C-alpha cells in the first residue's frame, strides 16, 4: 500500500502543477469585476463537483464576503433538492441547471461550472443557454476537456483524467479564488 500512496501523491503533485496560473488570475479578476458590478455568481456540477460547488459557495459567500466591501451574490444551484427533483421529474434531468438559471441569471452574471469529463449533458445544456443570454461562463474541467471547454469564456484544465485528483485540483482553484479576497488587501476594497 505504501507504493500506492506514494504514487498517488506523486500523480496528484503533477495534477496540481497543471493548474493554469494565468487563467486562475483571470478568473479572480472576473470575480473582482462581478463584485464591483454587483453581479450574481451561479456555481454547479454533478457528483463530487456538486459537493465542490456547495463548498465553494460557502467559502465565497461567507468567508470571502466577510473581508470585502460588498458581499458576493453567489449561489450553488445544486443545493435545492426539491427544485432539482421537480425539474428532473417533470421535464428532464438534463434541465436541472438550465431551468434554475432561466429563473435567476441575467446578462453579465457568471456561471461557474465544474466537470471532470466536460461533457455532462445537464451542464452543457445550461452553458449553451448562458452563452445565448450573455452570461459569462467559467468551466473547470479535466484533461478530456469536452464540450464545456469549447463553450466557456474561461476554461481551466487539469491535466489528468482521474476523478479524485481533478476534483481535488478544482477545489484548490476554488480556495485560491476565495483566499485571494480573504488575504489580498487590494481585492477587499472597491476598485476605482
Amino acid at each position: 500500500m505504501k507504493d500506492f500512496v506514494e504514487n498517488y501523491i506523486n500523480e496528484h503533485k503533477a495534477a496540481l502543477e497543471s493548474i493554469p496560473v494565468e487563467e486562475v488570475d483571470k478568473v479572480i479578476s472576473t470575480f473582482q469585476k462581478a463584485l464591483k458590478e454587483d453581479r450574481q455568481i451561479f456555481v454547479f456540477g454533478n457528483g463530487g463537483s456538486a459537493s465542490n460547488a456547495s463548498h465553494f459557495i460557502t467559502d465565497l459567500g461567507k468567508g470571502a464576503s466577510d473581508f470585502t466591501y460588498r458581499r458576493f451574490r453567489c449561489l450553488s444551484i445544486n443545493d435545492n433538492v426539491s427544485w432539482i427533483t421537480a425539474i428532473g421529474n417533470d421535464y428532464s434531468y438534463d434541465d436541472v441547471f438550465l431551468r434554475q438559471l432561466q429563473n435567476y441569471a441575467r446578462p453579465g452574471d457568471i456561471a461557474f461550472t465544474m466537470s471532470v469529463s466536460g461533457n455532462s449533458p445537464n451542464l452543457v445544456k445550461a452553458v449553451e443557454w448562458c452563452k445565448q443570454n450573455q452570461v459569462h461562463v467559467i468551466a473547470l474541467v479535466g484533461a478530456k476537456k469536452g464540450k464545456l471547454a469549447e463553450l466557456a469564456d474561461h476554461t481551466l484544465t487539469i491535466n489528468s483524467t482521474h476523478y479524485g485528483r481533478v476534483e481535488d485540483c478544482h477545489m484548490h482553484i476554488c480556495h485560491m479564488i476565495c483566499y485571494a479576497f480573504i488575504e489580498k488587501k487590494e481585492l477587499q476594497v472597491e476598485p476605482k
Side-chain angles (χ1 to χ4, degrees), residues 48-67:
S49 296
S51 296
N52 281 352
S54 297
H55 185 161
F56 181 35
I57 286 304
T58 300
D59 289 351
L60 189 66
K62 184 234 159 259
S65 289
D66 285 348
F67 290 86

Side-chain angles (χ1 to χ4, degrees), residues 40-44 75 77 101 104-106 109-113:
Q40 299 177 103
I41 301 167
F42 303 100
V43 183
F44 51 103
L75 180 70
I77 59 174
L101 289 167
Y104 288 128
R106 299 293 176 258
D109 288 343
I110 296 172
F112 185 105
T113 189

Side-chain angles (χ1 to χ4, degrees), residues 67-182:
F67 290 86
T68 53
Y69 61 93
R70 169 185 287 148
R71 302 193 75 75
F72 280 102
R73 294 178 57 217
C74 55
L75 180 70
S76 165
I77 59 174
N78 286 106
D79 292 339
N80 190 327
V81 175
S82 298
W83 201 352
I84 287 172
T85 56
I87 293 168
N89 185 61
D90 295 346
Y91 302 106
S92 166
Y93 186 73
D94 290 352
D95 291 348
V96 296
F97 303 124
L98 162 70
R99 288 185 175 268
Q100 291 185 75
L101 289 167
Q102 288 174 329
N103 278 65
Y104 288 128
R106 299 293 176 258
D109 288 343
I110 296 172
F112 185 105
T113 189
M114 294 174 269
S115 172
V116 177
S117 73
N119 282 317
S120 299
N122 56 4
L123 304 180
V124 171
K125 196 168 184 181
V127 166
E128 287 173 339
W129 181 88
C130 288
K131 296 301 292 178
Q132 294 165 2
N133 290 276
Q134 296 80 51
V135 175
H136 187 86
V137 177
I138 299 166
L140 278 58
V141 298
K144 291 182 182 177
K145 297 183 181 178
K147 185 78 172 159
L148 291 178
E150 298 170 23
L151 293 168
D153 298 296
H154 284 106
T155 300
L156 290 81
T157 304
I158 302 303
N159 190 22
S160 175
T161 57
H162 185 279
Y163 274 72
R165 284 189 275 275
V166 173
E167 289 171 350
D168 285 348
C169 289
H170 287 174
M171 201 60 227
H172 281 287
I173 292 168
C174 292
H175 278 141
M176 282 187 253
I177 295 165
C178 292
Y179 279 91
F181 289 93
I182 293 169

